């Protein structure tokens, strides 16, 4: 003990004597580990944290007084759809203003690997957000994004659907052994380039065409590089328990950690399944499997009207889907199947109901008059059924039409917030509340997911403590995803920090008026560079690519066990 005390004293002397670029003085430090907060200074040199303790102001080139404020690691958005929005505007305003410093992409699809036809299709499907596509691999996309300039750090899973499309196109069939081997090679390349693992989304075409064996094969490759399996389950409603079992089986067969994207129970008839789902996950964890989940802090999800129609009609991609919907015979079959309560596909319109399906995103300017109305409202205006209206809107808009489905119970959301192995993701883009982004409406989680956690579930309702919330926004996901030197305030770790007022942080976005920034976050640093000063963006874009455990640039080291 005496030697340790001498060593600590020596370290503090060295820190005080050394020149510090930035000293954050007088804040309450939540280090991300789950340990109790403490009053301390945070010293930063370059892009790294130099030390935490008590330092003389004269030892620093710059001092920022953060008395009365909390300082924590930057928040990790475990499920981000900012892949395209950040290409158009790298400021990441809606998330930076909530303290997010890392965006994690790859729910089912990723921005690489691409072949020529995939690139052409991506260019053809662009709406208001237009950008060149000079990359082919996932690594090239991430590098392109950071070279172009982005405020947050970025990381990505490789999409199971993406490697499938690369080799099989949109075909609804199993891959041949040769095709599967090539898919595994693509996964291996992505893992060596720094992907975090494999992501699947199993209610969407063509991702849902993959069976369990295909996913296990991809994950066995990813697992050999330390990768994680992360999945939008095959069902979040009628077959939720079976879908959770599938994820656990994939984890067990591949010996990989696995995480459930946006854990939820969809549809009133299924709300009672929450406790059995948690029991299955905790039983798997007790057996030694690293099963976890993430969530967003709302009772409504958001996706397209593709989740209201049977998968077979969508085979071959959007253009083929749209063409089929114009055929009266096929249209009648689709309409009948949309009403079938025994269907074996995930029908979110049926789970929510047309009165609880809010239309928010149209590509066709002539249809934007319907944004903010429910599908039932528009069906009444058009004097037709909800199913016919949904079909017509997809055809007329030339897109899957973005909607908000009210699916979950508030009680289950609170229970999910309380689970110690759950992290948080917005499941949304990161955008600005002006310019091209306000041409469409959006889900309020785009602007408020993380602030809402701190304001509603921590401060107002005391579902979890602030210490626990910060751990699950920072240290927990960093450990779950095996991220090096991120997620905690520790000497030597990257200086990703958020300074905020716990008593004032607040989300303001609503379903009726979603384009409203959250408030209460005062300052944000990303890799030691200030991105938010007194609640306003500095214009700096210091974001870096955060690569996973298989990146060939990493030095070999012992694998950390995820929580």
């Amino acid at each position: 003990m005496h030697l340790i005390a001498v060593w600590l004293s020596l370290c503090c002397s060295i820190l005080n004597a050394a020149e510090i670029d930035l000293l954050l003085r007088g804040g309450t430090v939540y280090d991300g580990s789950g340990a109790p907060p403490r009053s301390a200074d945070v010293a930063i040199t370059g892009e790294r944290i130099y030390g935490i303790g008590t330092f003389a102001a004269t030892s620093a080139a710059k001092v920022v007084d953060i008395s009365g404020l909390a300082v924590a690691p930057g928040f990790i958005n475990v499920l981000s759809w900012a892949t395209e929005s950040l290409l158009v505007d790298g400021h990441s305003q809606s998330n930076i203003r909530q303290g997010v410093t890392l965006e994690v992409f790859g729910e089912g699809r990723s921005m690489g690997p691409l072949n020529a036809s995939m690139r052409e299709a991506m260019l053809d499907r662009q709406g208001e957000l237009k950008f060149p596509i000079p990359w082919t691999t996932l690594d090239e996309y991430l590098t392109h994004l950071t070279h172009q300039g982005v405020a947050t750090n970025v990381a990505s899973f490789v999409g199971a659907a993406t490697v499938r499309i690369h080799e099989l196109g949109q075909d609804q069939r199993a891959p041949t052994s040769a095709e599967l081997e090539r898919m595994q090679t693509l996964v291996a390349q992505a893992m060596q380039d720094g992907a975090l693992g494999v992501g699947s989304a199993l209610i969407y075409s063509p991702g849902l065409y993959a069976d369990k064996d295909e996913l296990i094969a991809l994950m066995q490759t990813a697992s050999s590089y330390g990768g994680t399996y992360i999945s939008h389950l095959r069902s979040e409603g009628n077959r939720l328990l079976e879908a959770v079992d599938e994820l656990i089986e994939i984890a067990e067969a591949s010996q990989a950690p696995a995480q459930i994207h946006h854990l939820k129970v969809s549809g009133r008839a299924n709300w009672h399944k929450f406790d059995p789902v948690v029991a299955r996950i905790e039983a798997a964890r007790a057996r030694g499997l690293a099963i976890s989940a993430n969530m967003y802090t709302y009772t409504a999800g958001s996706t397209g009207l593709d989740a209201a129609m049977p998968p077979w009609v969508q085979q071959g991609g959007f253009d083929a889907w749209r063409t089929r919907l114009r055929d009266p015979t096929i249209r009648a079959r689709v309409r009948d199947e949309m009403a079938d309560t025994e269907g074996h596909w995930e029908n979110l319109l049926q789970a929510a109901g047309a009165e609880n399906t809010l239309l928010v995103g149209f590509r066709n300017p002539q249809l934007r008059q319907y944004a903010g109305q429910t599908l039932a409202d528009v069906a009444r205006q058009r004097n037709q059924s909800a199913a016919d209206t949904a079909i017509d809107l997809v055809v007329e808009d030339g897109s899957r039409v973005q909607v908000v489905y009210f699916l979950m119970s508030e009680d289950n959301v609170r229970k999910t917030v309380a689970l110690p192995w759950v992290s948080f993701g917005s499941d949304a883009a990161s955008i600005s509340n002006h310019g091209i982004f306000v041409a469409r409406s959006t889900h309020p989680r785009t602007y408020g997911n993380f602030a809402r956690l701190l304001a509603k579930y921590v401060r107002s309702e005391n579902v979890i403590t602030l210490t626990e919330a910060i751990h699950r926004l920072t240290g927990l996901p960093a450990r779950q995803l095996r991220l090096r030197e991120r997620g905690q305030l520790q000497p030597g770790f990257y200086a990703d920090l958020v300074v905020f007022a716990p008593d004032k942080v607040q989300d303001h976005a609503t379903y009726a008026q979603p384009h409203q920034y959250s408030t209460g976050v005062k300052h944000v640093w990303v890799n030691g560079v200030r991105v938010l000063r007194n609640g306003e963006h500095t214009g700096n874009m210091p974001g870096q690519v955060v690569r996973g455990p298989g990146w060939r640039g990493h030095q070999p080291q012992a694998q950390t066990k995820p929580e």
Side-chain angles (χ1 to χ4, degrees):
M1 291 295 292
H2 176 70
L3 289 175
I4 293 173
V6 171
W7 179 82
L8 288 173
S9 176
L10 178 62
C11 285
C12 288
S13 298
I14 292 171
L15 286 172
N16 278 296
E19 180 171 342
I20 296 166
D21 291 332
L22 173 65
L23 185 63
L24 306 182
R25 296 200 73 188
T28 301
V29 174
Y30 294 80
D31 68 9
S33 70
R38 59 193 174 106
S39 296
D41 304 329
V42 179
I44 298 168
T45 294
E47 63 182 13
R48 303 276 182 164
I49 296 170
Y50 203 71
I52 301 169
T54 302
F55 303 95
T58 55
S59 66
K62 182 175 179 60
V63 178
V64 177
D65 185 354
I66 58 170
S67 300
L69 300 172
V71 56
F75 302 154
I76 298 173
N77 184 0
V78 179
L79 174 51
S80 171
W81 276 106
T83 44
E84 297 184 358
S85 61
L86 292 179
L87 286 168
V88 175
D89 180 358
H91 292 91
S92 195
Q93 291 268 16
S94 58
N95 278 343
I96 279 290
R97 290 169 181 264
Q98 297 182 78
V100 171
T101 60
L102 172 59
E103 307 277 1
V104 180
F105 310 136
E107 184 196 0
R109 294 195 187 215
S110 54
M111 297 297 274
L114 304 177
N115 56 31
S117 63
M118 293 168 75
R119 182 188 286 110
E120 183 179 348
M122 188 181 291
L123 287 167
D124 183 60
R125 296 299 308 153
Q126 288 181 2
E128 298 93 350
L129 305 185
K130 298 189 184 300
F131 46 86
I133 304 177
W135 66 86
T136 298
T137 68
L138 178 57
D139 178 61
E140 288 169 352
Y141 159 74
L142 294 169
T143 301
H144 170 77
L145 182 57
T146 54
H147 283 179
Q148 182 175 286
V150 62
T152 59
N153 297 311
V154 291
S156 186
F157 287 80
V158 62
T162 301
V163 298
R164 173 176 249 274
I165 295 169
H166 196 283
E167 297 303 318
L168 280 74
Q170 299 281 345
D171 290 356
Q172 185 176 2
R173 63 176 177 84
T176 65
S177 58
E179 287 168 337
L180 184 58
E181 186 174 341
R182 291 198 297 272
M183 290 164 66
Q184 289 176 295
T185 299
L186 291 171
V187 169
Q189 179 65 53
M191 294 302 300
Q192 291 171 27
D193 285 345
L196 304 183
V198 172
S200 69
L202 303 178
I203 73 164
Y204 303 110
S205 170
L208 62 84
Y209 303 152
D211 63 18
K212 181 173 62 182
D213 290 341
E214 179 180 323
L215 296 169
I216 288 172
L218 298 183
M219 267 315 302
Q220 285 173 334
T221 299
S223 180
S224 69
Y225 295 93
T228 297
Y229 178 60
I230 198 162
S231 180
H232 179 142
L233 297 175
R234 206 174 292 273
S235 173
E236 296 173 330
N238 295 345
R239 297 181 59 79
L240 173 59
L241 297 175
E242 296 88 339
V244 171
D245 287 341
E246 180 185 45
L247 176 128
I248 293 170
E249 289 176 41
I250 291 169
E252 198 151 26
S254 60
Q255 288 300 291
Q259 184 162 133
I260 297 169
H261 266 322
H262 41 62
L263 177 62
K264 67 171 78 74
V265 184
S266 296
R268 182 179 294 273
N270 297 305
W271 288 351
H272 68 281
K273 295 177 181 177
F274 181 85
D275 290 340
V277 164
V278 173
R280 273 170 160 79
I281 294 170
E282 294 192 335
R285 289 171 60 85
R287 297 200 310 272
L289 294 175
I291 309 298
S292 60
N294 60 64
M295 69 174 296
Y296 46 80
T297 53
Y298 297 82
T299 56
S302 184
T303 185
L305 287 175
D306 49 341
M309 299 185 200
W312 62 264
V313 76
Q314 301 174 51
Q315 184 178 354
F318 180 82
D319 290 340
W321 173 28
R322 189 186 193 189
T323 298
R324 291 189 189 101
L325 291 179
R326 287 175 164 140
D327 182 304
T329 303
I330 294 177
R331 179 191 179 104
R333 180 184 166 190
V334 170
R335 185 173 54 235
D336 290 345
E337 291 191 19
M338 289 172 70
D340 182 7
T341 59
E342 301 301 320
H344 296 292
W345 51 283
E346 193 83 340
N347 187 341
L348 297 191
L349 176 57
Q350 196 171 89
E355 295 283 357
N356 293 311
T357 299
L358 188 69
L359 302 167
V360 296
F362 291 98
R363 190 179 186 186
N364 182 346
Q366 294 181 350
L367 297 178
R368 289 177 186 159
Q369 60 180 309
Y370 298 135
Q373 299 185 51
T374 68
L375 183 63
D377 291 334
V378 177
R380 282 190 287 270
Q381 293 171 39
R382 291 183 166 215
N383 195 29
Q384 59 182 174
S385 70
D388 280 316
T389 301
I391 292 169
D392 284 345
L393 290 177
V394 168
V395 171
E396 293 169 25
D397 197 54
S399 85
R400 65 181 195 148
V401 181
Q402 192 75 13
V403 299
V404 169
Y405 294 105
F406 290 85
L407 297 162
M408 292 85 79
S409 77
E410 179 62 30
D411 184 53
N412 281 344
V413 170
R414 288 193 188 94
K415 288 181 180 179
T416 311
V417 169
L419 293 169
W421 34 264
V422 170
S423 55
F424 299 91
S426 68
D427 197 8
S430 186
I431 60 179
S432 300
N433 68 354
H434 59 273
I436 195 169
F437 295 113
V438 298
R440 298 190 186 201
S441 186
T442 188
H443 191 298
R445 67 191 183 190
T446 305
Y447 289 88
N449 186 65
F450 306 96
R452 181 177 172 84
L453 170 69
L454 299 177
K456 178 178 173 65
Y457 296 106
V458 174
R459 188 176 68 234
S460 297
E461 299 186 6
N462 299 306
V463 176
I464 57 174
T465 66
L466 181 58
T467 299
E468 175 70 7
I470 290 174
H471 169 58
R472 288 167 49 198
L473 286 164
T474 60
L476 178 69
R479 186 171 177 83
Q480 287 171 334
L481 302 182
R482 294 170 166 169
L483 306 179
R484 289 172 170 84
E485 301 171 338
R486 306 276 180 181
Q488 289 193 42
L489 300 185
Q490 285 190 30
F493 275 43
Y494 287 92
D496 301 330
L497 302 99
V498 54
V499 175
F500 64 100
D503 61 333
K504 294 181 180 177
V505 64
Q506 185 65 57
D507 60 300
H508 301 286
T510 65
Y511 293 101
Q513 294 183 309
H515 291 289
Q516 300 187 76
Y517 292 133
S518 294
T519 55
V521 172
K522 298 285 288 183
H523 313 294
V524 174
W525 283 265
V526 177
N527 303 310
V529 177
R530 190 186 286 199
V531 177
L532 199 72
R533 178 190 293 112
N534 294 319
E536 295 298 328
H537 206 294
T538 64
N540 292 324
M541 297 193 188
Q544 299 177 7
V545 179
V546 175
R547 293 184 170 89
W551 181 44
R552 53 181 156 232
H554 281 149
Q555 295 298 316
Q557 57 182 269
Q559 193 67 259
T560 57
K561 180 177 174 56
E563 293 183 12

